[in-house]
Amino acid sequence: MAASQPPARSAAKTALRDRLVTARRRRPLSERAEVAAAVAAHLLAAPEVRRAATVAAYVAVGDEPGTAPLLDALEASGRRVLLPVLLPDDDLDWAAYAGPGSLARAGRGLLEPVGRRLGHEAVATADVVLVPGLAVSPRGDRLGRGGGSYDRALARVPVGTVTCVLLHDEEVGLDVPVDAHDLPVTAAVSPAGVVRLR
């Protein structure tokens, strides 16, 4: 998909990604636990999440805003939590989260659930879908890492389902270059709170 991007837009996306990844790497390690706790608190208080029976989420890695406190709180509250499994073609399968012991190391430094695979379409059963990203515009245009995995997953999510990207405060409300295959999200959460988009 990325090969069909106009050169100027592709270059703009690459430059923005590079800038944001560099800024994330410069964040103090001591801040990570605070960011993860704040993001979890905001999402757990959000009416959409409080009403949700099933939440599709992910295990944050590296310098992404942490998700461990959120995943554990959702699972402890009795909600069904779906986590992605990255396939060789960069598409996503899904499996249920059953606590930290249900995760195993996978390629690209990821942690993935070890349970029964539920198929590509399982994401469509979620009431709320949480996705990673590097930035989001006020209209909901999300900048990802460039692999297209989450754009494919978002294409399977029914209209009206809450889709939310987890970010740092300064990554919300940026001008994000968009291609035809880029799918928007309806909300963003950062330590400052939840912002509804579009």
Side-chain angles (χ1 to χ4, degrees):
M1 285 187 209
S4 64
Q5 295 176 4
R9 191 165 19 214
S10 178
K13 277 187 167 183
T14 299
L16 182 56
R17 274 191 193 103
D18 289 348
R19 181 169 63 84
L20 293 167
V21 168
T22 299
R24 280 189 174 185
R25 287 183 182 142
R26 291 182 176 152
R27 301 182 80 84
L29 286 175
S30 59
E31 184 181 288
R32 288 188 183 179
E34 294 170 16
V35 169
V39 165
H42 292 308
L43 283 171
L44 294 168
E48 302 91 337
V49 175
R50 286 200 320 265
R51 289 191 302 263
T54 300
V55 177
Y58 63 97
V59 180
V61 294
D63 49 24
E64 294 176 333
T67 56
L70 174 65
L71 296 177
D72 291 339
L74 288 170
E75 197 255 342
S77 71
R79 288 176 182 83
R80 180 176 183 235
V81 180
L82 301 179
L83 296 179
V85 177
L86 185 65
L87 299 173
D89 65 354
D90 285 340
D91 207 341
L92 299 176
D93 199 339
W94 299 85
Y97 178 62
S102 70
L103 300 175
R105 295 228 170 263
R108 301 186 195 179
L110 300 174
L111 285 172
E112 296 178 341
V114 296
R116 180 175 66 87
R117 301 297 183 255
L118 303 172
H120 299 92
E121 300 297 327
V123 69
T125 67
D127 303 298
V128 174
V129 178
L130 306 176
V131 297
L134 291 169
V136 73
S137 77
R139 292 184 334 199
D141 302 317
R142 182 187 70 93
L143 180 69
R145 297 273 183 172
S149 301
Y150 280 93
D151 285 314
R152 283 186 257 182
L154 287 169
R156 298 179 180 115
V157 175
V159 173
T161 302
V162 174
T163 54
C164 181
V165 61
L166 281 62
L167 298 169
H168 298 283
D169 293 337
E170 64 277 8
E171 297 165 346
V172 177
L174 301 183
D175 184 23
V176 173
V178 180
D179 289 297
H181 64 268
D182 293 328
L183 294 175
V185 292
T186 61
V189 64
S190 73
V194 177
V195 177
R196 272 72 180 186
L197 305 166
R198 294 190 292 165

